PDB file of all heavy atoms in Angstrom:
ATOM      1  N   SER A  22     -10.890  16.255  -1.420  1.00 98.00           N
ATOM      2  CA  SER A  22     -10.419  15.264  -2.379  1.00 98.00           C
ATOM      3  C   SER A  22      -9.483  15.890  -3.414  1.00 98.00           C
ATOM      4  O   SER A  22      -9.819  16.889  -4.075  1.00 98.00           O
ATOM      5  CB  SER A  22     -11.634  14.656  -3.092  1.00 98.00           C
ATOM      6  OG  SER A  22     -11.259  14.164  -4.353  1.00 98.00           O
ATOM      7  N   VAL A  36      -1.434  22.352  -4.207  1.00 98.00           N
ATOM      8  CA  VAL A  36      -2.491  22.354  -3.189  1.00 98.00           C
ATOM      9  C   VAL A  36      -1.832  22.491  -1.815  1.00 98.00           C
ATOM     10  O   VAL A  36      -0.995  21.666  -1.430  1.00 98.00           O
ATOM     11  CB  VAL A  36      -3.328  21.061  -3.264  1.00 98.00           C
ATOM     12  CG1 VAL A  36      -4.413  21.066  -2.203  1.00 98.00           C
ATOM     13  CG2 VAL A  36      -3.938  20.897  -4.659  1.00 98.00           C
ATOM     14  N   ARG A  40      -3.510  24.301   7.638  1.00 96.00           N
ATOM     15  CA  ARG A  40      -3.248  23.772   8.979  1.00 96.00           C
ATOM     16  C   ARG A  40      -1.793  23.342   9.138  1.00 96.00           C
ATOM     17  O   ARG A  40      -1.150  23.592  10.140  1.00 96.00           O
ATOM     18  CB  ARG A  40      -4.215  22.611   9.247  1.00 96.00           C
ATOM     19  CG  ARG A  40      -4.029  21.920  10.531  1.00 96.00           C
ATOM     20  CD  ARG A  40      -5.161  22.055  11.549  1.00 96.00           C
ATOM     21  NE  ARG A  40      -5.887  23.287  11.583  1.00 96.00           N
ATOM     22  CZ  ARG A  40      -5.611  24.334  12.380  1.00 96.00           C
ATOM     23  NH1 ARG A  40      -4.564  24.299  13.183  1.00 96.00           N
ATOM     24  NH2 ARG A  40      -6.356  25.404  12.373  1.00 96.00           N
ATOM     25  N   ARG A  41      -1.284  22.681   8.100  1.00 96.00           N
ATOM     26  CA  ARG A  41       0.091  22.183   8.204  1.00 96.00           C
ATOM     27  C   ARG A  41       1.098  23.347   8.293  1.00 96.00           C
ATOM     28  O   ARG A  41       2.081  23.273   9.016  1.00 96.00           O
ATOM     29  CB  ARG A  41       0.411  21.277   7.000  1.00 96.00           C
ATOM     30  CG  ARG A  41       1.780  20.633   7.067  1.00 96.00           C
ATOM     31  CD  ARG A  41       1.906  19.683   8.241  1.00 96.00           C
ATOM     32  NE  ARG A  41       3.218  19.052   8.298  1.00 96.00           N
ATOM     33  CZ  ARG A  41       3.616  18.228   9.248  1.00 96.00           C
ATOM     34  NH1 ARG A  41       2.809  17.927  10.246  1.00 96.00           N
ATOM     35  NH2 ARG A  41       4.801  17.695   9.229  1.00 96.00           N
ATOM     36  N   ASN A  45       3.524  23.700  11.461  1.00 97.00           N
ATOM     37  CA  ASN A  45       4.992  23.731  11.317  1.00 97.00           C
ATOM     38  C   ASN A  45       5.573  24.967  11.991  1.00 97.00           C
ATOM     39  O   ASN A  45       6.588  24.902  12.686  1.00 97.00           O
ATOM     40  CB  ASN A  45       5.383  23.742   9.830  1.00 97.00           C
ATOM     41  CG  ASN A  45       5.218  22.383   9.183  1.00 97.00           C
ATOM     42  OD1 ASN A  45       5.158  21.353   9.862  1.00 97.00           O
ATOM     43  ND2 ASN A  45       5.131  22.357   7.865  1.00 97.00           N
ATOM     44  N   LEU A  49       8.090  24.931  15.536  1.00 97.00           N
ATOM     45  CA  LEU A  49       9.409  25.549  15.644  1.00 97.00           C
ATOM     46  C   LEU A  49       9.413  26.653  16.701  1.00 97.00           C
ATOM     47  O   LEU A  49      10.271  26.692  17.589  1.00 97.00           O
ATOM     48  CB  LEU A  49       9.783  26.123  14.271  1.00 97.00           C
ATOM     49  CG  LEU A  49      11.251  26.334  13.990  1.00 97.00           C
ATOM     50  CD1 LEU A  49      12.046  25.054  14.200  1.00 97.00           C
ATOM     51  CD2 LEU A  49      11.449  26.827  12.555  1.00 97.00           C
ATOM     52  N   THR A  54      11.096  28.704  21.935  1.00 97.00           N
ATOM     53  CA  THR A  54      10.865  29.632  23.056  1.00 97.00           C
ATOM     54  C   THR A  54      10.823  28.921  24.408  1.00 97.00           C
ATOM     55  O   THR A  54      10.925  29.572  25.440  1.00 97.00           O
ATOM     56  CB  THR A  54       9.588  30.491  22.855  1.00 97.00           C
ATOM     57  OG1 THR A  54       8.561  29.663  22.349  1.00 97.00           O
ATOM     58  CG2 THR A  54       9.814  31.630  21.902  1.00 97.00           C
ATOM     59  N   ASN A  69       8.332  30.217  -0.550  1.00 98.00           N
ATOM     60  CA  ASN A  69       6.953  30.234  -1.067  1.00 98.00           C
ATOM     61  C   ASN A  69       6.366  31.614  -0.779  1.00 98.00           C
ATOM     62  O   ASN A  69       6.116  31.958   0.372  1.00 98.00           O
ATOM     63  CB  ASN A  69       6.127  29.144  -0.361  1.00 98.00           C
ATOM     64  CG  ASN A  69       4.753  28.969  -0.966  1.00 98.00           C
ATOM     65  OD1 ASN A  69       4.128  29.947  -1.390  1.00 98.00           O
ATOM     66  ND2 ASN A  69       4.277  27.746  -1.011  1.00 98.00           N
ATOM     67  N   CYS A  84       7.744  36.875  11.482  1.00 98.00           N
ATOM     68  CA  CYS A  84       8.310  38.000  10.753  1.00 98.00           C
ATOM     69  C   CYS A  84       8.747  37.441   9.396  1.00 98.00           C
ATOM     70  O   CYS A  84       8.594  36.246   9.146  1.00 98.00           O
ATOM     71  CB  CYS A  84       9.514  38.559  11.503  1.00 98.00           C
ATOM     72  SG  CYS A  84       9.175  39.009  13.218  1.00 98.00           S
ATOM     73  N   GLY A  91      11.125  42.768  -4.423  1.00 98.00           N
ATOM     74  CA  GLY A  91       9.849  42.098  -4.699  1.00 98.00           C
ATOM     75  C   GLY A  91       9.320  41.375  -3.467  1.00 98.00           C
ATOM     76  O   GLY A  91       8.124  41.447  -3.157  1.00 98.00           O
ATOM     77  N   TYR A  94       8.112  43.927  -1.002  1.00 98.00           N
ATOM     78  CA  TYR A  94       6.827  44.454  -1.482  1.00 98.00           C
ATOM     79  C   TYR A  94       5.685  43.487  -1.138  1.00 98.00           C
ATOM     80  O   TYR A  94       4.654  43.889  -0.609  1.00 98.00           O
ATOM     81  CB  TYR A  94       6.946  44.659  -3.000  1.00 98.00           C
ATOM     82  CG  TYR A  94       5.674  45.041  -3.688  1.00 98.00           C
ATOM     83  CD1 TYR A  94       5.198  46.349  -3.635  1.00 98.00           C
ATOM     84  CD2 TYR A  94       4.944  44.097  -4.418  1.00 98.00           C
ATOM     85  CE1 TYR A  94       4.019  46.706  -4.288  1.00 98.00           C
ATOM     86  CE2 TYR A  94       3.776  44.440  -5.071  1.00 98.00           C
ATOM     87  CZ  TYR A  94       3.314  45.750  -4.999  1.00 98.00           C
ATOM     88  OH  TYR A  94       2.153  46.092  -5.636  1.00 98.00           O
ATOM     89  N   LEU A  97       4.973  43.469   2.591  1.00 98.00           N
ATOM     90  CA  LEU A  97       4.226  44.675   2.988  1.00 98.00           C
ATOM     91  C   LEU A  97       2.768  44.542   2.552  1.00 98.00           C
ATOM     92  O   LEU A  97       1.838  44.837   3.307  1.00 98.00           O
ATOM     93  CB  LEU A  97       4.853  45.929   2.373  1.00 98.00           C
ATOM     94  CG  LEU A  97       6.214  46.355   2.947  1.00 98.00           C
ATOM     95  CD1 LEU A  97       6.850  47.424   2.065  1.00 98.00           C
ATOM     96  CD2 LEU A  97       6.092  46.847   4.394  1.00 98.00           C
ATOM     97  N   ILE A 128      18.274  45.835   7.368  1.00 97.00           N
ATOM     98  CA  ILE A 128      19.115  45.229   6.325  1.00 97.00           C
ATOM     99  C   ILE A 128      20.259  44.424   6.940  1.00 97.00           C
ATOM    100  O   ILE A 128      20.993  44.924   7.787  1.00 97.00           O
ATOM    101  CB  ILE A 128      19.716  46.328   5.410  1.00 97.00           C
ATOM    102  CG1 ILE A 128      18.593  47.212   4.836  1.00 97.00           C
ATOM    103  CG2 ILE A 128      20.563  45.715   4.309  1.00 97.00           C
ATOM    104  CD1 ILE A 128      19.107  48.406   4.019  1.00 97.00           C
ATOM    105  N   HIS A 161      22.909  20.181  -1.292  1.00 92.00           N
ATOM    106  CA  HIS A 161      23.527  20.176  -2.623  1.00 92.00           C
ATOM    107  C   HIS A 161      24.515  21.339  -2.647  1.00 92.00           C
ATOM    108  O   HIS A 161      24.296  22.348  -1.973  1.00 92.00           O
ATOM    109  CB  HIS A 161      22.428  20.385  -3.680  1.00 92.00           C
ATOM    110  CG  HIS A 161      22.918  20.267  -5.093  1.00 92.00           C
ATOM    111  ND1 HIS A 161      23.510  21.308  -5.764  1.00 92.00           N
ATOM    112  CD2 HIS A 161      22.887  19.223  -5.962  1.00 92.00           C
ATOM    113  CE1 HIS A 161      23.831  20.909  -6.994  1.00 92.00           C
ATOM    114  NE2 HIS A 161      23.461  19.644  -7.138  1.00 92.00           N
ATOM    115  N   GLU A 162      25.573  21.214  -3.447  1.00 92.00           N
ATOM    116  CA  GLU A 162      26.581  22.294  -3.429  1.00 92.00           C
ATOM    117  C   GLU A 162      25.991  23.658  -3.807  1.00 92.00           C
ATOM    118  O   GLU A 162      26.468  24.697  -3.353  1.00 92.00           O
ATOM    119  CB  GLU A 162      27.779  21.955  -4.337  1.00 92.00           C
ATOM    120  CG  GLU A 162      27.387  21.799  -5.778  1.00 92.00           C
ATOM    121  CD  GLU A 162      28.577  21.584  -6.722  1.00 92.00           C
ATOM    122  OE1 GLU A 162      29.540  22.355  -6.656  1.00 92.00           O
ATOM    123  OE2 GLU A 162      28.497  20.651  -7.546  1.00 92.00           O
ATOM    124  N   LYS A 172      29.894  33.187  -2.192  1.00 93.00           N
ATOM    125  CA  LYS A 172      29.772  34.600  -2.574  1.00 93.00           C
ATOM    126  C   LYS A 172      29.070  35.418  -1.487  1.00 93.00           C
ATOM    127  O   LYS A 172      28.939  36.630  -1.597  1.00 93.00           O
ATOM    128  CB  LYS A 172      29.000  34.722  -3.884  1.00 93.00           C
ATOM    129  CG  LYS A 172      27.533  34.349  -3.782  1.00 93.00           C
ATOM    130  CD  LYS A 172      26.767  34.671  -5.076  1.00 93.00           C
ATOM    131  CE  LYS A 172      25.275  34.361  -4.916  1.00 93.00           C
ATOM    132  NZ  LYS A 172      24.470  34.848  -6.023  1.00 93.00           N
ATOM    133  N   ALA A 183      33.554  46.790   8.980  1.00 98.00           N
ATOM    134  CA  ALA A 183      32.151  47.094   8.644  1.00 98.00           C
ATOM    135  C   ALA A 183      31.460  47.784   9.820  1.00 98.00           C
ATOM    136  O   ALA A 183      30.825  48.837   9.658  1.00 98.00           O
ATOM    137  CB  ALA A 183      31.418  45.809   8.265  1.00 98.00           C
ATOM    138  N   GLY A 202      23.458  27.488   4.818  1.00 95.00           N
ATOM    139  CA  GLY A 202      22.994  26.707   3.677  1.00 95.00           C
ATOM    140  C   GLY A 202      21.640  26.090   3.976  1.00 95.00           C
ATOM    141  O   GLY A 202      21.045  26.357   5.019  1.00 95.00           O
ATOM    142  N   GLU A 216      29.456  28.880  16.843  1.00 97.00           N
ATOM    143  CA  GLU A 216      30.658  29.132  17.658  1.00 97.00           C
ATOM    144  C   GLU A 216      31.483  30.231  17.006  1.00 97.00           C
ATOM    145  O   GLU A 216      31.962  31.153  17.659  1.00 97.00           O
ATOM    146  CB  GLU A 216      31.511  27.863  17.749  1.00 97.00           C
ATOM    147  CG  GLU A 216      30.882  26.804  18.619  1.00 97.00           C
ATOM    148  CD  GLU A 216      31.874  26.190  19.601  1.00 97.00           C
ATOM    149  OE1 GLU A 216      32.944  26.785  19.842  1.00 97.00           O
ATOM    150  OE2 GLU A 216      31.551  25.116  20.147  1.00 97.00           O
ATOM    151  N   ALA A 222      31.326  37.972  16.950  1.00 98.00           N
ATOM    152  CA  ALA A 222      30.544  39.007  17.648  1.00 98.00           C
ATOM    153  C   ALA A 222      31.293  39.481  18.893  1.00 98.00           C
ATOM    154  O   ALA A 222      31.368  40.686  19.180  1.00 98.00           O
ATOM    155  CB  ALA A 222      29.168  38.465  18.019  1.00 98.00           C
ATOM    156  N   GLY A 230      33.276  48.018  21.256  1.00 96.00           N
ATOM    157  CA  GLY A 230      32.331  48.273  22.348  1.00 96.00           C
ATOM    158  C   GLY A 230      30.885  48.345  21.896  1.00 96.00           C
ATOM    159  O   GLY A 230      30.056  48.967  22.557  1.00 96.00           O
ATOM    160  N   VAL A 294       1.186  19.731  -1.854  1.00 98.00           N
ATOM    161  CA  VAL A 294       1.399  18.688  -2.869  1.00 98.00           C
ATOM    162  C   VAL A 294       1.202  19.311  -4.244  1.00 98.00           C
ATOM    163  O   VAL A 294       0.427  20.253  -4.408  1.00 98.00           O
ATOM    164  CB  VAL A 294       0.431  17.491  -2.735  1.00 98.00           C
ATOM    165  CG1 VAL A 294       0.648  16.743  -1.443  1.00 98.00           C
ATOM    166  CG2 VAL A 294      -1.016  17.906  -2.886  1.00 98.00           C
ATOM    167  N   HIS A 330      11.618  13.733  -4.693  1.00 98.00           N
ATOM    168  CA  HIS A 330      10.327  14.075  -4.087  1.00 98.00           C
ATOM    169  C   HIS A 330       9.478  12.818  -4.044  1.00 98.00           C
ATOM    170  O   HIS A 330       9.342  12.138  -5.068  1.00 98.00           O
ATOM    171  CB  HIS A 330       9.588  15.135  -4.924  1.00 98.00           C
ATOM    172  CG  HIS A 330      10.091  16.518  -4.690  1.00 98.00           C
ATOM    173  ND1 HIS A 330       9.461  17.417  -3.886  1.00 98.00           N
ATOM    174  CD2 HIS A 330      11.200  17.143  -5.144  1.00 98.00           C
ATOM    175  CE1 HIS A 330      10.152  18.537  -3.852  1.00 98.00           C
ATOM    176  NE2 HIS A 330      11.219  18.402  -4.608  1.00 98.00           N
ATOM    177  N   PRO A 341      -0.850  -1.970  -4.933  1.00 96.00           N
ATOM    178  CA  PRO A 341       0.562  -2.287  -4.675  1.00 96.00           C
ATOM    179  C   PRO A 341       1.492  -1.577  -5.669  1.00 96.00           C
ATOM    180  O   PRO A 341       1.153  -1.434  -6.847  1.00 96.00           O
ATOM    181  CB  PRO A 341       0.623  -3.802  -4.866  1.00 96.00           C
ATOM    182  CG  PRO A 341      -0.598  -4.156  -5.648  1.00 96.00           C
ATOM    183  CD  PRO A 341      -1.641  -3.124  -5.358  1.00 96.00           C
ATOM    184  N   ALA A 360      11.069  12.100 -11.528  1.00 98.00           N
ATOM    185  CA  ALA A 360      11.546  10.991 -10.701  1.00 98.00           C
ATOM    186  C   ALA A 360      12.070   9.901 -11.607  1.00 98.00           C
ATOM    187  O   ALA A 360      11.485   9.621 -12.653  1.00 98.00           O
ATOM    188  CB  ALA A 360      10.405  10.451  -9.849  1.00 98.00           C
ATOM    189  N   LEU A 415      -2.717  31.462 -22.180  1.00 98.00           N
ATOM    190  CA  LEU A 415      -1.849  31.716 -23.340  1.00 98.00           C
ATOM    191  C   LEU A 415      -1.613  33.217 -23.511  1.00 98.00           C
ATOM    192  O   LEU A 415      -0.516  33.635 -23.877  1.00 98.00           O
ATOM    193  CB  LEU A 415      -2.460  31.113 -24.610  1.00 98.00           C
ATOM    194  CG  LEU A 415      -2.533  29.584 -24.620  1.00 98.00           C
ATOM    195  CD1 LEU A 415      -3.150  29.083 -25.917  1.00 98.00           C
ATOM    196  CD2 LEU A 415      -1.144  28.961 -24.425  1.00 98.00           C
TER     197      LEU A 415
END
Side-chain angles (χ1 to χ4, degrees):
S22 155
V36 180
R40 177 114 326 267
R41 184 64 179 177
N45 284 341
L49 203 55
T54 42
N69 188 324
C84 306
Y94 173 78
L97 289 168
I128 305 175
H161 186 276
E162 62 175 310
K172 68 172 183 170
E216 288 227 17
V294 295
H330 280 259
L415 294 180

